[in-house]
Amino acid sequence: MLKHLYLSDRYTLKVSKINGLLQALSPAEIPLFRARLARGKGDLRGNLLPLFDVLLPVARESGVDADKRSVFKRCFPGKKFSDQQYRYFISDLSGHLEIFIAKRGFEKDKALFTEVLSRELASRGAVKAYNSRRLDFETEREEAPVRDISYYRHCFESELIHLEKATAGMKRNKESNIAETVDYLDRFYLAQKLRLSCEIYNVRNVLAVEYKVFLLDEIRAHLKNKTYADTPVILVYYKVLMTLLESEQEEHFFQLRQLLAQHEKNFRLQELREFYQYVLNYCIKKINLGNIGWQRTLFEIFKTTIENGVLMSEGYLSHLDYKNIVTISLRQKEYDWVKIFIDKYNKVLLPQERHNAYIYNLANVYFNTGEYSKSLKLLQQVEFSDLYYQLDSKSILLKTWFELDETESFLYHASAFRIFLKRNKLVSDYQRTIYQNLIRYSAMLHRAGNSKRKIAEVRKRAEKNRNIADLQWLLNKIDAQIS
């Protein structure tokens, strides 16, 4: 039986189609769409324009459906409410929004615009206009620096239009562009097939799901005989796939890094970000398997992604990436570098995330450099709204009181932290376990005092468990107390 798949949305249960469309408009598009309604006649201006003006602020501010009777009364004062008429108006407004959004997408996609125009010119017999457009395409194709999957799809579609329309009346002995059409189709297909195969095997690493990847063995055999050295997108996706299929063979990873450095300018930022996410995940997986030496590689890759802007999305850096970069930098003791990074890149975090992220990460730097009083001062002056920052800040406070050997403060905070973990329903079972274990084993180590026998017992039990937040810090403290 076919399964219907939908985009994930935290408002799925309460957001109607019309609300989703209104929320999809960018701030710059709102006056454009409103002007479109205002220029119209009949229902567009008289009914849909007031309906749009009433629904828009409700949809964008509250995210829930407005009461239809209240909306009808505000839009059409004096008229008796009609559920059927209201539904007609909503349906019409939705249709106009969909057309507007589709046209905006069409205007932004230059390649699609060119394909549609070329097809229309050829089918209408506008020979001179078509030939001019064809010459422009050939020049752009040769000079294009970006040669990602969409480039090969566009080249294939353009050659197919030329084959079907422009060469339809050619004599048999006249050369056509069928070879070019097939070649671009092959490259587009191989690149897209490899991309989707990478996604499938990446999902397999996380979820217990099975997908049949048709012809993948044949494609891999083909790529061993033909390298496609002139098609970076195939080279890179093939190497990504090999890091997933043969992760133990580390040469795939290093070859992938080399290819990305060599062909960085051949990809749009979005596709380059996708490649680097695979690279980062590979390093993280190695580290999680106990290969601590890969932390240095992860740090160097993070530096690369900061320098080339790969981690930036619409001009902003995710606060999670910000935090991860700080964490790995501290593990590598890159204290001078990370202090510069925190100040410089705090400015490109989303405004609503900026303060919490800055305070927490700076406090983490102070903790790791032994400036405990500065760390305490920062963490005690702010109430974090994000759960992850709440957990990690409480963890730093616990470790700080331990480092300062402030028994009373340590025990008080440990008790408060336990209560927080027990009562907060948003804390996952895994998070609750690892932070409870941090409290438990650090308290055991605190009670052990100078007894090497008791300290050794803590190490034995901690190494056996390992589900402990910041296990490495705990092991370092154990080693320091034994020596």
Side-chain angles (χ1 to χ4, degrees):
M1 185 174 69
L2 291 176
K3 294 181 179 179
H4 296 284
L5 302 179
Y6 300 95
L7 288 174
S8 175
D9 189 335
R10 58 179 177 152
Y11 297 121
T12 298
L13 296 178
K14 57 184 179 180
V15 172
S16 62
K17 176 183 175 180
I18 185 68
N19 269 16
L21 290 169
L22 291 168
Q23 291 170 8
L25 295 175
S26 71
E29 289 173 337
I30 292 171
L32 295 177
F33 181 72
R34 192 182 187 282
R36 174 193 175 103
L37 294 179
R39 288 194 302 269
K41 297 179 181 179
D43 278 353
L44 278 180
R45 186 187 296 174
N47 295 323
L48 299 191
L49 181 57
L51 184 62
F52 174 75
D53 287 340
V54 171
L55 289 177
L56 180 71
V58 178
R60 295 176 74 85
E61 291 171 14
S62 69
V64 297
D65 289 342
D67 178 72
K68 56 186 176 182
R69 290 181 179 273
S70 299
V71 172
F72 194 92
K73 184 176 181 180
R74 288 179 61 187
C75 293
F76 317 113
K79 288 186 178 181
K80 183 180 178 182
F81 174 74
S82 167
D83 186 74
Q84 185 179 40
Q85 191 176 31
Y86 181 78
R87 289 175 182 274
Y88 284 150
F89 288 149
I90 290 292
S91 178
D92 286 347
L93 182 58
S94 297
H96 285 287
L97 279 165
E98 288 176 336
I99 292 170
F100 175 79
I101 291 170
K103 285 184 175 180
R104 293 289 292 174
F106 181 76
E107 291 165 2
K108 289 189 291 185
D109 193 333
K110 183 181 177 182
L112 180 59
F113 174 85
T114 301
E115 290 163 21
V116 173
L117 178 58
S118 297
R119 190 180 298 279
E120 287 299 310
L121 291 173
S123 65
R124 294 166 188 257
V127 177
K128 287 187 177 180
Y130 173 83
N131 288 338
S132 175
R133 177 61 59 177
R134 173 70 184 180
L135 287 172
D136 289 343
F137 159 71
E138 290 176 347
T139 300
E140 292 167 1
R141 177 181 61 187
E142 297 303 317
E143 296 177 353
V146 175
R147 302 203 172 191
D148 55 7
I149 290 178
S150 62
Y151 166 83
Y152 289 99
R153 186 203 63 78
H154 175 50
C155 288
F156 162 66
E157 292 290 350
S158 298
E159 292 294 345
L160 185 63
I161 291 168
H162 195 61
L163 178 68
E164 292 177 343
K165 302 295 184 182
T167 65
M170 283 184 178
K171 295 180 180 179
R172 289 180 178 271
N173 61 352
K174 195 166 184 179
E175 186 177 352
S176 78
N177 67 321
I178 191 168
E180 290 87 349
T181 306
V182 172
D183 184 63
Y184 282 120
L185 173 60
D186 288 342
R187 292 169 193 268
F188 166 62
Y189 169 78
L190 287 171
Q192 190 69 281
K193 183 75 172 186
L194 288 168
R195 175 180 175 269
L196 294 174
S197 297
C198 289
E199 291 188 14
I200 285 172
Y201 282 99
N202 192 44
V203 169
R204 280 186 179 181
N205 287 335
V206 180
L207 303 174
V209 293
E210 289 292 332
Y211 296 101
K212 291 182 179 180
V213 188
F214 187 60
L215 292 179
L216 186 57
D217 290 339
E218 290 81 356
I219 289 172
R220 289 177 61 188
H222 170 68
L223 292 175
K224 287 182 179 180
N225 297 321
K226 185 170 181 178
T227 60
Y228 290 92
D230 60 342
T231 312
V233 68
I234 292 178
L235 295 175
V236 173
Y237 271 120
Y238 177 62
K239 267 311 153 192
V240 170
L241 181 64
M242 296 312 294
T243 63
L244 295 168
L245 296 178
E246 301 176 357
S247 60
E248 70 285 352
Q249 297 187 27
E250 295 174 358
E251 66 270 16
H252 294 311
F253 172 83
F254 295 113
Q255 289 168 4
L256 174 59
R257 282 193 69 188
Q258 186 177 3
L259 284 169
L260 287 175
Q262 183 180 350
H263 297 290
E264 187 175 288
K265 294 181 179 179
N266 293 129
F267 304 107
R268 289 183 177 84
L269 189 61
Q270 182 177 352
E271 195 155 26
L272 196 60
R273 186 182 298 122
E274 185 178 321
F275 291 141
Y276 270 103
Q277 195 58 60
Y278 283 113
V279 171
L280 292 169
N281 288 346
Y282 185 92
C283 292
I284 292 168
K285 183 178 179 181
K286 286 287 186 181
I287 294 168
N288 289 341
L289 291 172
N291 300 299
I292 303 302
W294 278 82
Q295 289 185 354
R296 188 70 199 178
T297 305
L298 181 61
F299 171 71
E300 295 296 340
I301 294 168
F302 269 132
K303 283 182 64 177
T304 299
T305 56
I306 284 296
E307 291 164 1
N308 62 17
V310 163
L311 290 183
M312 304 291 285
S313 178
E314 297 182 357
Y316 290 104
L317 178 68
S318 162
H319 73 101
L320 296 176
D321 287 328
Y322 183 76
K323 179 174 178 285
N324 288 338
I325 292 169
V326 170
T327 300
I328 197 65
S329 303
L330 292 174
R331 289 180 182 176
Q332 292 300 300
K333 303 188 186 303
E334 294 280 350
Y335 302 132
D336 293 336
W337 185 91
V338 77
K339 287 177 181 177
I340 295 171
F341 168 81
I342 285 176
D343 285 334
K344 182 178 179 180
Y345 285 91
N346 177 58
K347 300 177 180 67
V348 294
L349 297 175
L350 286 169
Q352 64 269 29
E353 298 171 348
R354 196 168 293 162
H355 183 66
N356 274 5
Y358 181 75
I359 293 297
Y360 167 78
N361 285 289
L362 186 58
N364 197 16
V365 171
Y366 286 144
F367 171 79
N368 279 271
T369 55
E371 299 173 272
Y372 301 122
S373 60
K374 289 183 178 181
S375 181
L376 284 172
K377 185 177 180 180
L378 280 175
L379 292 176
Q380 290 173 335
Q381 74 180 30
V382 63
E383 184 65 35
F384 293 102
S385 56
D386 184 277
L387 176 62
Y388 293 100
Y389 284 128
Q390 290 177 2
L391 292 170
D392 286 341
S393 64
K394 291 179 186 298
S395 172
I396 291 177
L397 285 170
L398 182 78
K399 293 182 292 185
T400 299
W401 292 126
F402 184 98
E403 295 280 4
L404 293 173
D405 200 22
E406 294 280 355
T407 300
E408 186 176 343
S409 296
F410 172 80
L411 294 176
Y412 174 82
H413 184 73
S415 177
F417 198 178
R418 284 193 192 95
I419 293 171
F420 175 84
L421 292 170
K422 183 178 181 180
R423 292 180 177 176
N424 195 308
K425 304 301 181 184
L426 296 177
V427 179
S428 69
D429 290 341
Y430 173 73
Q431 290 172 322
R432 187 173 289 107
T433 297
I434 63 173
Y435 286 106
Q436 283 177 339
N437 282 337
L438 173 64
I439 298 168
R440 176 188 176 192
Y441 288 109
S442 59
M444 288 172 59
L445 184 60
H446 189 273
R447 290 194 301 270
N450 295 321
S451 171
K452 292 189 176 183
R453 180 185 63 80
K454 292 181 179 179
I455 295 171
E457 180 62 23
V458 175
R459 169 177 269 283
K460 180 180 177 181
R461 295 174 67 175
E463 286 186 327
K464 182 179 180 180
N465 189 316
R466 301 197 71 82
N467 285 323
I468 304 169
D470 206 346
L471 173 62
Q472 195 57 51
W473 171 83
L474 181 67
L475 295 178
N476 289 341
K477 291 294 100 185
I478 292 172
D479 291 341
Q481 289 189 210
I482 289 179
S483 59

